[in-house]
Amino acid sequence: MTKNEKYIQFPYREYTSTAQLNQQEEKLIELAVEASFMAYNPYSKFNVGAALLLDNGKIITGNNQENAAYPSGLCAERVALFYASSQYPEAAVRILAVVATKNRQVIDMPVPPCGSCRQVFIEWENRFKKPFAVIMAGKEKIIKVEKAEWLMPFSFQSDFL
Ligand code: THU
């Protein structure tokens, strides 16, 4: 290690089956899978579903919504978060599960959220002053991170301004 060099580490858990998760987490994955089937994805044909548990007990789902002008589309995670916020602006997120499916089957590997979604996750954690867990579920591997902010070190913060 050279002088001034620093490292960032964060813990995460890895599972090989949804049976290793608790019932609530399993339910979120199941709902995310169902949501993925309803994605509007004529351009990528990639089905992504997200399900989130709010601290008022409600579960909100979303899927990717694409557009002929590609950047105008939105990821499943942000569709779910923005809809949740529009309906329950006072509710913090506790857990967000995300999956991708192909031919109605969950793909083997977990799908990690894109950078824009990670920045949005951090906005939610800051806004409610509560971290939330992110579960990325694949058929062969499931990853759980307890705090969404760990997925994006050096995120932009408006209090820099
Ligand atoms: N996508 C998501 O919905 N979530 C992700 O975490 C990764 C990517 C969508 C966006 C686009 O509709 C398609 O997957 C291909 O990038």
Side-chain angles (χ1 to χ4, degrees), residues 44 46 48 64-66 74-77 98 111-114:
S44 74
F46 193 58
V48 187
N64 48 327
Q65 298 292 320
E66 298 186 348
L74 203 60
C75 295
E77 298 92 318
V98 58
V111 53
C114 78

Side-chain angles (χ1 to χ4, degrees), residues 10-155:
F10 69 89
Y12 66 94
R13 292 196 169 86
E14 215 176 86
Y15 307 92
T16 49
S17 149
T18 51
Q20 296 160 343
L21 301 170
N22 67 35
Q23 264 188 340
Q24 197 169 49
E25 293 166 339
E26 272 193 273
K27 182 80 193 161
L28 285 174
I29 293 171
E30 191 185 305
L31 292 172
V33 171
E34 277 172 26
S36 77
F37 300 154
M38 296 180 283
Y40 176 64
N41 58 359
Y43 305 102
S44 74
K45 309 253 189 330
F46 193 58
N47 285 66
V48 187
L52 48 94
L53 175 67
L54 300 177
D55 67 358
N56 63 9
K58 304 265 183 214
I59 293 177
I60 302 292
T61 62
N63 46 37
N64 48 327
Q65 298 292 320
E66 298 186 348
N67 193 275
Y70 288 10
S72 302
L74 203 60
C75 295
E77 298 92 318
R78 277 177 287 162
V79 168
L81 277 170
F82 292 157
Y83 179 71
S85 176
S86 73
Q87 298 301 299
Y88 306 104
E90 308 299 334
V93 176
R94 290 187 46 212
I95 308 173
L96 182 149
V98 58
V99 300
T101 59
K102 202 172 179 181
N103 303 322
R104 299 207 142 224
Q105 298 296 314
V106 176
I107 65 169
D108 289 346
M109 287 296 129
V111 53
C114 78
S116 296
C117 287
R118 294 176 196 210
Q119 181 73 39
V120 170
F121 296 171
I122 288 169
E123 183 82 16
W124 256 245
E125 291 186 325
N126 290 342
R127 176 176 167 191
F128 295 101
K129 299 190 173 40
K130 253 189 212 151
F132 65 86
V134 179
I135 298 174
M136 304 163 229
K139 199 165 60 187
E140 290 180 356
K141 194 201 272 192
I142 301 159
I143 292 173
K144 183 178 181 191
V145 178
E146 292 296 337
K147 296 186 184 189
E149 65 167 90
W150 292 340
L151 293 173
M152 191 180 239
F154 300 112
S155 63

